[in-house]
Amino acid sequence: MPDKSLRVVVIGAGMAGILAGIKLREAGYSNIAIYEKAATVGGTWRENTYPGLTCDVPAHHYTFSFERNPDWSQHLSSGAEIQSYFERTTDRYGLHEVIEFNTEVTEALFVDHLWQLQLSDGRRDSANIVIAATGVLHHINDPKLPGLDCFAGRHFHSARWDHSEPLEGQRIAVIGMGSTGVQIIANLARRGIEVSHFVRNPQWIMPVENGNYTEAERAAFRADPEALAQAMDFEGYSASVERYTEALTDPESEGSWFMSQACRENLTASIKDPKLREQLTPDHEPMCKRLIFSPDYYQAIQKDCAQLVREEIVCAEAKGIRTSDGQLHECDVIVFATGFRPDRFVRPMNVAGLDCVDLEDLWSQKPVAYLSVAMPGMPNFFMLNGPNGPVGNFSLIDIAELQWDYIAQLMDLVRDGRCLAVYPSAQATQEFDQARVEAAKKTIWYTGGCQSWYLDAEGVPASWPWNYSRFVEAMKEPDMRHFVMLKG
Ligand code: NAP
């Protein structure tokens, strides 16, 4: 008889934690808890509230496959709309019953086939299985700008947006030209707000349109799931993801050339002033950094209220930012759109597995995982969107769902009594990672001549380096030759 009383603890109630909670209940697990360190669900969509926040994955594809949303208002959804989708989904599946908010898991120790968990409020719990759904980009990169303490205005990171005062009438300095900085500048300049964009290295931008769904379209989607499926064009979308991953992983491919041309033409066609165009021309290949999609950044930066600053930042002073040419750029607000530390994952949680294998030792050089979902010596500890998995311009919801199907098969081994715990062997993990690193060095992220958050401490892209269909194939079924089963 399957043992449905197994205690399963999920860490994090962002997109992946919500997915895990729903799937666990569907599978009949009744002894579950989701610990969430914040006061609400949503993860990255709860934390990021900056003006202009938009997901550049098409709305209907950035949606759980089992919880379609006919009501997306735009082809690319706003952050607020995505956050309310996750809140609604949490309510709809009754997940509040199992989520404990304001509760961080600070320690997980594997003792006598159980994970002993320490919670931030002093309580303890123990679990047969732990699912880490702790997200990728949630530890902010907050550069220590000299003189910031003397700055008379407000300053904050893009993921900690201070909404206490209106921005109208203020002069805003935005540091950083990733997807975030680009979206903020486009939004503020469209509203006529005075903005200075401090860009250390310009990035390539792929043009994209973001239309609205009409009320008639949404009504049709509500009335007929078939109409929604047709509009979503699953096959077309999968084919485009496949082409895109081929372009990334084979810089010599036709797809890579096509994407590169589209970015170059976008810059040439959009920026009229040759000096500004030169200042916005990256020194690396398109797609080397995570590709930015924007319908309106180039128009925004050419507005009278916007200025691009390429000079190096020296320090902050009371009235603004001083650059290496001696100029003081006066401003009222400094926004750090400077990205995240992507190598944290479950950290700072203290994790020790079998024979006291410490996560910090296991990851002393870089985060390593078998197929990004599990680690040697960490029995029954599974990760969604863990290290070196697919990241990039496609739906992390889709990736997490595929990973879930894989993890569920490993959990079934425990539930069905075939073992007490399961984990990948050190050898399989090492061989996988060697192959991954070798392939990663052939991708545009490595050969394209840039620094980016994709690169690990050794300068190797920390991502899935093959195409999308290979990932789908890998997630179909665990190869049990690569796993160790503990039987008591
Ligand atoms: P990011 O891509 O890492 O970009 C950070 C920017 O800050 C870069 O331009 C970087 O310059 C600059 N920077 C960092 N430290 C700096 C310093 N000390 N001085 C000056 N400039 C500095 O971060 P992000 O824009 O927040 O995006 C992170 C990721 O979040 C994206 O790649 C994406 O995966 C996700 N995201 C997705 C969406 C979406 O639409 N789906 C939207 C926003 C974010 P250098 O290039 O010179 O290092």
Side-chain angles (χ1 to χ4, degrees), residues 106-282:
T106 56
E107 184 175 81
L109 307 177
F110 191 72
V111 183
D112 293 336
H113 300 114
L114 281 178
W115 283 100
Q116 303 294 343
L117 306 173
Q118 177 66 55
L119 309 180
S120 52
D121 57 10
R123 284 180 299 148
R124 301 189 67 85
D125 194 355
S126 59
N128 301 88
I129 296 170
V130 172
I131 312 285
T134 46
V136 187
L137 300 175
H138 57 118
H139 293 275
I140 61 175
N141 174 37
D142 205 3
K144 297 289 164 244
L145 181 56
L148 195 57
D149 289 345
C150 304
F151 178 58
R154 292 182 295 149
H155 59 88
F156 44 84
H157 187 273
S158 56
R160 305 280 182 273
W161 197 275
D162 173 356
H163 292 277
S164 62
E165 285 177 32
L167 298 172
E168 274 71 16
Q170 307 231 322
R171 297 158 302 172
I172 320 291
V174 177
I175 302 175
M177 189 186 177
S179 301
T180 304
V182 161
Q183 290 184 348
I184 294 170
I185 291 289
N187 178 283
L188 300 186
R190 189 173 55 237
R191 290 155 57 188
I193 294 170
E194 208 177 304
V195 281
S196 303
H197 197 190
F198 291 80
V199 174
R200 188 165 64 180
N201 287 295
Q203 297 208 37
W204 292 104
I205 297 182
M206 185 64 124
V208 67
E209 285 180 17
N210 188 12
N212 293 328
Y213 285 108
T214 63
E215 184 41 50
E217 281 173 313
R218 288 188 270 160
F221 296 159
R222 278 194 293 273
D224 179 10
E226 198 45 45
L228 178 57
Q230 264 185 19
M232 287 175 63
D233 183 18
F234 289 106
E235 275 180 27
Y237 180 71
S238 295
S240 68
V241 171
E242 185 71 2
R243 273 199 306 277
Y244 183 57
T245 51
E246 275 168 9
L248 292 167
T249 53
D250 179 4
E252 302 300 317
S253 65
E254 202 183 320
S256 191
W257 182 87
F258 175 80
M259 300 289 286
S260 169
Q261 279 306 104
C263 292
R264 291 174 197 280
E265 281 167 18
N266 187 28
L267 176 63
T268 313
S270 307
I271 302 287
K272 302 291 171 226
D273 173 16
K275 180 158 180 267
L276 182 62
R277 197 184 315 137
E278 196 228 308
Q279 288 182 314
L280 280 170
T281 303

Side-chain angles (χ1 to χ4, degrees), residues 11 105-108 130 132 134 346-351 359-360 381:
I11 306 176
V105 179
T106 56
E107 184 175 81
V130 172
T134 46
V346 302
R347 295 186 279 199
M349 184 169 53
N350 175 26
V351 183
L359 184 77
E360 289 304 328
F381 190 105

Side-chain angles (χ1 to χ4, degrees), residues 44-45 48 50 53-57 62 137 141-144 157-158 175-183 197-203 284 289-293 313 336-340 391-393 451-454:
T44 197
W45 302 106
N48 284 278
Y50 63 78
L53 172 62
T54 309
C55 180
D56 58 16
V57 176
Y62 195 81
L137 300 175
N141 174 37
D142 205 3
K144 297 289 164 244
H157 187 273
S158 56
I175 302 175
M177 189 186 177
S179 301
T180 304
V182 161
Q183 290 184 348
H197 197 190
F198 291 80
V199 174
R200 188 165 64 180
N201 287 295
Q203 297 208 37
H284 55 265
K289 294 176 185 244
R290 183 189 186 276
L291 193 52
I292 297 173
F293 285 76
I313 294 174
F336 289 88
T338 44
F340 300 85
V391 287
N393 297 81
Q451 279 296 321
S452 79
W453 68 262
Y454 282 169

